[in-house]
């Protein structure tokens, strides 16, 4: 499971700026206004020796008033769920009584804490960090979140002692196919899990938000091992008010990251919303196989079904490879076919593809439809080989590959998907431009040419 790293500190020390740097996003609003961040913000960390879930928090204050009390409760919850803490301080402002208060609160947690001195660009770090040694968190790490300086070193120190998941060698067949069930609250995720395993394993209720945590449910079906992950519903951030429910968002992100296949459950009575598309986008970004289950289909009148099909096609056009299954989790209609698709999607995401077959498929695609001309020269794609699984990654070598248009890449993706039956999984194509062995000879030839007299 990905470690959770919480960014904590007094208001206006740069936590949201650091969060954006670590996640490579602009999800956290940044401004020179104390107390701007109120709710917890989650994202996948991309900086450092291993992936992690980053949590941005509001500033901790000693005597909170009004909304500050809610901000403090949010931050305390983030500290409780985190595996590692980063205490952020302002190197230009120096040590303040508020920093002392935050440090005392973090020491109570007993969690490993790394001290980061922000805004230290242009300063002598030894002088800027001298006062902060009194906080008792070891050698401070000097960073500049605004400029992205020192963040690699910070995360290397914060995550010390944790092993990257990639280093753990496991047999996928032995641990089973991991399937994350995601979606908005009250769409029938827990009912679907119970239907699949044939027992009331998780609580299912008409009340939204019944599931608080991500629940791992191992089971066997048709001689194959599975691990179902029932997650809490993800909602629009402005509507997530409950303190406990906030923690569920991090668990859902972790579930998506750990899964082989992600099943998005949608209520047939509702339209596909922005929240659904957002959750689906998270899974797509992580390269997971995607299946969309339209639940409660048995309750839809026949004359309305064609319109629902049309709306789904319009709103889910960014994942055309994801199959749609119209099911009733309560009555079991369509659930067997859903699991068959999940197995097929898993096998596609883990498929081995021989270099010879990939190159032959590439050559066939080039014969049918050549790449466009760039400055009068044809883009040449020479050969292909597999670069990874889950999702399938195909590396294509050639020249002028930086100029390959997106439309041609989509064409190649469709060709490879059809040839290798890459069902329900995103396909990543990576281009590499080969070095021209004649470039050096030409440069040497031009350099040795005698000057004109």
């Amino acid at each position: 499971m990905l470690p959770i790293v919480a960014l904590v500190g007094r208001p206006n020390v740069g936590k949201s700026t650091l969060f954006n740097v670590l996640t490579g996003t602009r999800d956290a609003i940044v401004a020179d206004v104390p107390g701007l961040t109120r709710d917890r913000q989650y994202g996948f960390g991309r900086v450092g020796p291993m992936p992690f879930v980053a949590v941005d928090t509001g500033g901790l204050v000693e005597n909170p008033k009004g909304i500050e009390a809610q901000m403090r409760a949010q931050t305390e919850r983030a500290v409780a769920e985190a595996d590692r803490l980063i205490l952020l301080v302002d190197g230009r402002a120096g040590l303040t009584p508020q920093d002392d208060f935050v440090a005392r609160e973090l020491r109570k947690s007993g969690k490993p804490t790394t001290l980061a001195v922000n805004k230290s660009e242009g300063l002598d770090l030894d002088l800027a960090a001298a006062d902060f040694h009194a906080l008792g968190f070891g050698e401070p790490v000097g960073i500049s979140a605004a400029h992205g300086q020192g963040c690699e070193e910070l995360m290397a120190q914060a995550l010390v002692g944790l092993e990257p998941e990639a280093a753990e060698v496991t047999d996928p067949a032995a641990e089973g196919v991991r399937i994350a069930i995601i979606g908005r609250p009250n769409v029938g995720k827990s009912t679907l899990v119970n239907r699949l395993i044939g027992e009331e394993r998780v609580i299912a209720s008409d009340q939204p938000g019944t599931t608080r945590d991500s629940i791992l449910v191992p089971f066997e079906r048709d001689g194959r091992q599975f691990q179902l992950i029932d997650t809490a519903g993800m909602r629009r951030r402005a509507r997530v008010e409950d303190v406990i429910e906030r923690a569920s968002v991090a668990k859902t992100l972790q579930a998506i990251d750990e899964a082989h296949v992600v099943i998005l459950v949608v209520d047939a009575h509702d339209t596909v919303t922005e929240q659904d598309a957002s959750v689906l986008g998270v899974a797509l970004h992580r390269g997971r196989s995607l299946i969309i289950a339209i639940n409660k289909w048995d309750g839809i009148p026949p004359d309305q079904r064609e319109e629902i099909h049309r709306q789904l096609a319009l709103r889910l056009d960014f994942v055309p490879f994801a199959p749609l299954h119209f099911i009733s989790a309560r009555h079991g209609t369509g659930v067997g076919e859903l699991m068959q698709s999940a197995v097929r999607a898993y096998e596609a995401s883990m498929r081995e593809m021989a270099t010879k077959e990939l190159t032959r498929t590439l050559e066939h695609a080039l014969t049918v439809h050549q790449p466009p001309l760039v400055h009068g020269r044809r883009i040449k794609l020479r050969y292909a080989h597999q670069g990874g699984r889950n999702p399938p990654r195909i590396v294509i070598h050639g020249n002028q590959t930086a100029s390959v248009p997106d439309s041609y890449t989509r064409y190649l993706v469709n060709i490879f998907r059809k040839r290798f039956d890459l069902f329900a999984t995103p396909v990543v194509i990576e281009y590499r431009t080969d070095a021209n062995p004649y470039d050096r000879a030409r440069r040497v030839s031009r350099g040795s040419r005698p000057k004109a007299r």
Side-chain angles (χ1 to χ4, degrees), residues 355 358-360 362-363 366 380-385 394-398 416 430 432 434:
T355 298
L358 284 170
T359 301
R360 184 177 297 167
L362 174 63
E363 291 171 347
L366 296 174
K380 292 185 178 179
L381 305 178
R382 293 187 172 85
Y383 68 97
H385 63 86
I394 299 171
V395 181
I396 298 177
H397 293 255
F416 285 117
E430 178 182 330
R432 293 183 186 175
D434 296 331

Side-chain angles (χ1 to χ4, degrees), residues 341-389:
S341 284
V343 171
R344 185 181 170 193
Y346 165 75
E347 292 174 344
S349 70
M350 304 299 287
R351 181 156 294 136
E352 294 280 359
M353 296 174 285
T355 298
K356 181 179 179 180
E357 289 301 317
L358 284 170
T359 301
R360 184 177 297 167
T361 304
L362 174 63
E363 291 171 347
H364 171 73
L366 296 174
T367 301
V368 174
H369 178 32
Q370 289 191 346
L373 294 171
V374 178
H375 303 302
R377 296 176 57 201
R378 180 76 64 186
I379 296 173
K380 292 185 178 179
L381 305 178
R382 293 187 172 85
Y383 68 97
H385 63 86
Q386 188 169 3
R389 300 184 297 172

Side-chain angles (χ1 to χ4, degrees), residues 294-312:
I294 313 301
N295 193 25
K296 310 178 185 179
W297 188 245
D298 54 321
I300 301 296
D303 59 325
Q304 297 180 15
R305 294 186 177 186
E306 183 177 347
E307 176 61 19
I308 293 176
H309 276 281
R310 191 183 69 83
Q311 289 291 333
L312 289 170

Side-chain angles (χ1 to χ4, degrees), residues 199-275:
E199 63 177 89
E200 295 294 321
R201 171 61 177 80
V202 292
I203 298 173
S205 167
D206 290 336
Q207 179 181 352
T210 303
T211 303
R212 293 294 197 182
D213 209 341
S214 293
I215 302 171
L216 185 65
V217 184
F219 76 105
E220 182 177 339
R221 185 186 181 100
D222 297 329
R224 184 187 288 266
Q225 296 295 324
F226 293 89
Q227 292 184 11
L228 287 180
I229 311 171
D230 181 24
T231 65
M234 292 181 68
R235 295 196 282 179
R236 188 194 304 272
R237 189 178 307 123
R239 296 183 59 189
V240 182
E241 299 170 353
D242 187 89
V243 173
I244 299 176
E245 187 177 343
R246 284 251 167 222
S248 302
V249 179
K251 298 298 184 182
T252 301
L253 293 179
Q254 289 176 322
I256 291 173
D257 187 77
E258 292 177 352
H260 296 117
V261 180
V262 171
I263 298 178
L264 172 68
V265 182
V266 178
D267 190 333
H269 294 84
D270 298 331
T271 182
V272 175
T273 65
E274 183 181 332
Q275 294 99 304

Side-chain angles (χ1 to χ4, degrees), residues 98-155:
Q98 285 179 297
D99 293 324
D100 279 322
F101 165 73
V102 176
R104 290 197 301 271
E105 293 298 304
L106 297 190
R107 276 196 292 271
K108 293 178 184 177
S109 72
K111 303 286 182 70
T113 303
T114 302
L115 178 61
V117 181
N118 193 25
K119 308 179 186 179
S120 61
E121 68 276 12
L123 300 179
D124 185 326
L125 182 59
D126 291 336
L127 294 177
D131 292 342
F132 295 108
H133 282 89
L135 297 177
F137 290 115
E139 189 66 29
V141 179
I143 68 168
S144 171
H147 299 91
Q149 299 173 0
C151 297
E152 288 278 356
E153 294 80 0
L154 171 65
M155 295 315 303

